Amino acid sequence: MTSTGIRLHAPAPGWAVAADVVVVGSGVAGLTAALRCEAAGLRTVVVTKARLDDGSTRWAQGGVAAALGEGDTPEQHLDDTLVAGAGLCDAEAVRILVTEGPDAVRRLIETGAHFDESTEGGLALTREGGHHRRRIAHAGGDATGAEISRALVEAVRARGLRTVENALVLDLLTDAEGRTAGVTLHVMGEGQHDGVGAVHAPAVVLATGGMGQVFSATTNPAVSTGDGVALALRAGAEVSDLEFVQFHPTVLFLGPDAEGQQPLVSEAVRGEGAHLVDADGVRFMRGQHELAELAPRDIVAKAITRRMQERGAEHMYLDARHFGADMWERRFPTILAACRTHGIDPVTEPIPVAPAAHYASGGVRTDAHGRTTVPGLYACGEVACTGVHGANRLASNSLLEGLVYAERIAADIAAGTVDARVPAPLPHPEHPEHPLLPPEARLTIQRIMTEGAGVLRSADSLTRAADRLDGLHAEAREALHENGKTSEPGVDTWEATNLMCVARVLVAAAARREETRGCHWREDHADRDDTTWRRHIVVRLNPDRTLAVQTTDTPEFPPTVHGAQPTHRPQEQ
């Protein structure tokens, strides 16, 4: 696999540091990988876009799923995960997750994470959608992510790992053969360095989180602009199943014009007995699924959307008034505070909720050791597609996946899979060959994606979205070709350009998949079609910025081993 030669237009690096491994991202996946690499004696540098504790992990409310309770088994956890994944999970990847998961959680506890305990002294476990057993460990009631982030950040600082905060990663450095040679990055005002620099390393671990900011309303923080997926595509890596974006069914509704990060109302609220109702108080999830409000998220999101359409309503309600004030304050203090901040008291009134973009089940394609199709480039966490989530992530499997696969990546690097010598990177391009989008394109992209590729999709809506995205890109390309100018390099233009990249891939994959499966809902193809579409869609970026969209011949992923023959049917787009 060779690089596309495409890079973000940016100044040449003005400084550089050397390492054995550079980890990009500081959530549960990134910091776990960094700690394990450092423990193996590898010189490790952590690069993160904001502060160490500002990523998506700290926003996770529900918890981490693992077979830790009495009577629960990895096999039962596997079965629930496969059902939620709607026929597209990689069974071996899931088996790795559920069998290695319990010990990974115990190691997290040894690192310093404090989970809530039951009155008997063991872990307090709850249920969430799609789980047939109580297996969700949580912390601070509904502040699990914040506690995990705290523990890992403290461990990183105690071990003295080198970190570069407030740094936006730009591009993968590669040599003439496409092997990883490090990354370039831009450090913003509060970082340790000024301007654009580089970390030279033979191994790069992408743990950059999600891409929820590609939509107008999301639970993701502002930093989740798909930077890792875009970087990987420019480096020549394959991404898979990007059409499977999970829309969390219960996000606090702040009005029809609300944009950006929205407050999440955890699935654990339903796990503890809250009901979904319409304006008349009717529990519409009854009869929709055997688990009612605890059905997998795609089913709940679709049911809410259908009911909204039927009633001409902008939202539904989550009713947990029967919890009482004590339970709300003890079990869900974060959600209670968020609701009251916006003038809603869930102790005395139902919470208005509507679906919003939440989690990308697809991402940069990896094998069981986190290796991508680019030698030396690894990915874990939400940026990766390990095959665990299939067409729809099972609730609270994400933190576990970050833990398990980060540990596997560190073990692979420590085993000497990557040549320890840093390859000589290709020289920095002198002139921009591809345009940067202006900052205002971000809002336009988000609205295009929400209208055309949101919860409900069709051939018409996706075609309109693709045409509008192409129009935006064409305007920037024409300006570059006609007068040699592009938007000024900077965080806003780099993020907008990354969002455009992932938006184009998502729309192309969603248009290709002519069925409804998991969290991909096609109004014009309402049924699941296992004969034709129990397959994966894999996308690469060509050097001319066109997309190579491919469908696998079987439900299995092709190998990531370099030089292996692909088992896809390619189509340029």
Side-chain angles (χ1 to χ4, degrees), residues 188-264:
M188 294 166 267
E190 299 179 6
Q192 299 173 3
H193 304 279
D194 292 326
V196 173
V199 181
H200 294 150
V204 170
V205 180
L206 290 180
T208 52
M211 56 182 193
Q213 290 290 325
V214 79
F215 294 97
S216 296
T218 177
T219 63
N220 290 190
V223 295
S224 298
T225 50
D227 307 318
V229 171
L231 173 149
L233 284 162
R234 290 192 294 271
E238 294 181 351
V239 303
S240 184
D241 300 349
L242 219 62
E243 69 272 28
F244 295 119
V245 176
Q246 189 175 76
F247 286 76
H248 198 289
T250 53
V251 175
L252 184 62
F253 181 75
L254 300 181
D257 298 323
E259 294 178 325
Q261 186 179 9
Q262 311 289 302
L264 175 67

Side-chain angles (χ1 to χ4, degrees), residues 466-483:
D467 289 345
R468 294 175 67 189
L469 292 172
D470 287 345
L472 277 179
H473 190 257
E475 290 177 12
R477 188 170 58 243
E478 288 169 8
L480 177 61
H481 290 165
E482 289 177 3
N483 55 33

Side-chain angles (χ1 to χ4, degrees), residues 303-340:
I304 291 174
T305 304
R306 284 195 189 101
R307 197 68 163 191
M308 287 162 56
Q309 290 177 328
E310 292 169 2
R311 295 301 181 94
E314 295 176 322
H315 60 81
M316 290 287 109
Y317 293 94
L318 188 64
D319 192 352
R321 289 174 291 180
H322 55 286
F323 284 5
D326 180 67
M327 181 173 175
W328 266 110
E329 291 166 2
R330 172 179 49 82
R331 181 68 177 86
F332 300 111
T334 307
I335 298 170
L336 179 64
C339 288
R340 285 176 170 171

Side-chain angles (χ1 to χ4, degrees), residues 95-342:
R95 191 169 298 280
I96 288 169
L97 178 85
V98 299
T99 55
E100 298 182 11
D103 284 343
V105 173
R106 294 184 185 104
R107 283 188 288 272
L108 179 63
I109 293 171
E110 291 171 2
T111 301
H114 301 294
F115 288 90
D116 295 339
E117 295 185 351
S118 66
T119 54
E120 291 79 23
L123 288 176
L125 302 175
T126 189
R127 279 182 68 194
E128 291 184 4
H131 293 273
H132 283 79
R133 282 192 175 272
R134 285 182 170 265
R135 65 167 66 97
I136 316 300
H138 48 84
D142 58 357
T144 308
E147 171 57 19
I148 291 174
S149 181
R150 180 205 61 77
L152 291 173
V153 168
E154 286 188 6
V156 164
R157 288 174 173 156
R159 298 290 287 267
L161 267 73
R162 184 166 192 169
T163 60
V164 184
E165 298 179 275
N166 298 297
L168 170 63
V169 68
L170 298 175
D171 279 303
L172 189 74
L173 292 171
T174 56
D175 67 5
E177 297 179 8
R179 294 177 300 180
T180 293
V183 293
T184 55
L185 59 149
H186 170 78
V187 182
M188 294 166 267
E190 299 179 6
Q192 299 173 3
H193 304 279
D194 292 326
V196 173
V199 181
H200 294 150
V204 170
V205 180
L206 290 180
T208 52
M211 56 182 193
Q213 290 290 325
V214 79
F215 294 97
S216 296
T218 177
T219 63
N220 290 190
V223 295
S224 298
T225 50
D227 307 318
V229 171
L231 173 149
L233 284 162
R234 290 192 294 271
E238 294 181 351
V239 303
S240 184
D241 300 349
L242 219 62
E243 69 272 28
F244 295 119
V245 176
Q246 189 175 76
F247 286 76
H248 198 289
T250 53
V251 175
L252 184 62
F253 181 75
L254 300 181
D257 298 323
E259 294 178 325
Q261 186 179 9
Q262 311 289 302
L264 175 67
V265 181
S266 171
E267 193 151 346
V269 178
R270 282 176 280 135
E272 296 292 350
H275 306 145
L276 281 166
V277 298
D278 60 21
D280 296 327
V282 176
R283 285 185 62 185
F284 56 88
M285 283 305 302
R286 285 177 167 171
Q288 299 275 347
H289 189 274
E290 60 165 332
L291 296 176
E293 279 90 355
L294 287 176
R297 287 178 178 174
D298 63 306
I299 294 171
V300 180
K302 290 172 187 176
I304 291 174
T305 304
R306 284 195 189 101
R307 197 68 163 191
M308 287 162 56
Q309 290 177 328
E310 292 169 2
R311 295 301 181 94
E314 295 176 322
H315 60 81
M316 290 287 109
Y317 293 94
L318 188 64
D319 192 352
R321 289 174 291 180
H322 55 286
F323 284 5
D326 180 67
M327 181 173 175
W328 266 110
E329 291 166 2
R330 172 179 49 82
R331 181 68 177 86
F332 300 111
T334 307
I335 298 170
L336 179 64
C339 288
R340 285 176 170 171
T341 296
H342 293 283

Side-chain angles (χ1 to χ4, degrees), residues 199-558:
V199 181
H200 294 150
V204 170
V205 180
L206 290 180
T208 52
M211 56 182 193
Q213 290 290 325
V214 79
F215 294 97
S216 296
T218 177
T219 63
N220 290 190
V223 295
S224 298
T225 50
D227 307 318
V229 171
L231 173 149
L233 284 162
R234 290 192 294 271
E238 294 181 351
V239 303
S240 184
D241 300 349
L242 219 62
E243 69 272 28
F244 295 119
V245 176
Q246 189 175 76
F247 286 76
H248 198 289
T250 53
V251 175
L252 184 62
F253 181 75
L254 300 181
D257 298 323
E259 294 178 325
Q261 186 179 9
Q262 311 289 302
L264 175 67
V265 181
S266 171
E267 193 151 346
V269 178
R270 282 176 280 135
E272 296 292 350
H275 306 145
L276 281 166
V277 298
D278 60 21
D280 296 327
V282 176
R283 285 185 62 185
F284 56 88
M285 283 305 302
R286 285 177 167 171
Q288 299 275 347
H289 189 274
E290 60 165 332
L291 296 176
E293 279 90 355
L294 287 176
R297 287 178 178 174
D298 63 306
I299 294 171
V300 180
K302 290 172 187 176
I304 291 174
T305 304
R306 284 195 189 101
R307 197 68 163 191
M308 287 162 56
Q309 290 177 328
E310 292 169 2
R311 295 301 181 94
E314 295 176 322
H315 60 81
M316 290 287 109
Y317 293 94
L318 188 64
D319 192 352
R321 289 174 291 180
H322 55 286
F323 284 5
D326 180 67
M327 181 173 175
W328 266 110
E329 291 166 2
R330 172 179 49 82
R331 181 68 177 86
F332 300 111
T334 307
I335 298 170
L336 179 64
C339 288
R340 285 176 170 171
T341 296
H342 293 283
I344 300 154
D345 188 350
V347 176
T348 60
E349 60 187 315
I351 305 167
V353 294
H358 182 55
Y359 190 89
S361 292
V364 184
R365 192 168 74 80
T366 74
D367 66 8
H369 301 281
R371 295 177 290 215
T372 74
T373 52
V374 174
L377 179 65
Y378 295 78
C380 57
E382 189 172 355
V383 70
C385 181
T386 63
V388 160
H389 303 309
N392 188 42
R393 174 181 67 104
L394 181 65
S396 287
N397 267 356
S398 49
L399 293 175
L400 190 71
E401 184 198 32
L403 282 172
V404 169
Y405 282 88
E407 292 188 341
R408 293 179 71 83
I409 286 172
D412 193 69
I413 298 172
T417 303
V418 178
D419 191 330
R421 296 168 298 180
V422 180
L426 293 169
H428 186 80
E430 295 183 8
H431 304 290
E433 297 182 8
H434 301 278
L436 292 174
L437 270 67
E440 58 268 23
R442 176 174 181 150
L443 186 58
T444 304
I445 292 168
Q446 291 171 333
R447 290 175 175 172
I448 290 171
M449 293 298 290
T450 297
E451 293 170 10
V455 177
L456 300 178
R457 302 165 178 175
S458 68
D460 288 344
S461 75
L462 292 165
T463 297
R464 287 194 301 272
D467 289 345
R468 294 175 67 189
L469 292 172
D470 287 345
L472 277 179
H473 190 257
E475 290 177 12
R477 188 170 58 243
E478 288 169 8
L480 177 61
H481 290 165
E482 289 177 3
N483 55 33
K485 294 183 178 180
T486 187
S487 295
E488 189 72 21
V491 174
D492 289 346
T493 56
W494 291 322
E495 286 185 334
T497 303
N498 284 339
L499 284 172
M500 170 63 83
C501 182
V502 298
R504 291 179 63 220
V505 174
L506 194 162
V507 167
R512 172 67 71 89
R513 184 172 292 280
E514 296 179 335
E515 65 159 354
T516 290
R517 179 186 298 271
C519 51
H520 170 69
W521 188 7
R522 285 282 299 262
E523 291 182 284
D524 51 344
H525 295 280
D527 297 322
R528 171 171 157 176
D529 178 3
D530 279 350
T531 301
T532 306
W533 288 111
R534 191 165 172 251
R535 307 284 188 270
H536 299 281
I537 295 175
V538 179
V539 183
R540 288 182 293 105
L541 184 63
N542 293 320
D544 63 356
R545 283 189 177 262
T546 58
L547 301 177
V549 183
Q550 308 167 329
T551 305
T552 62
D553 290 330
T554 71
E556 283 69 47
F557 277 116

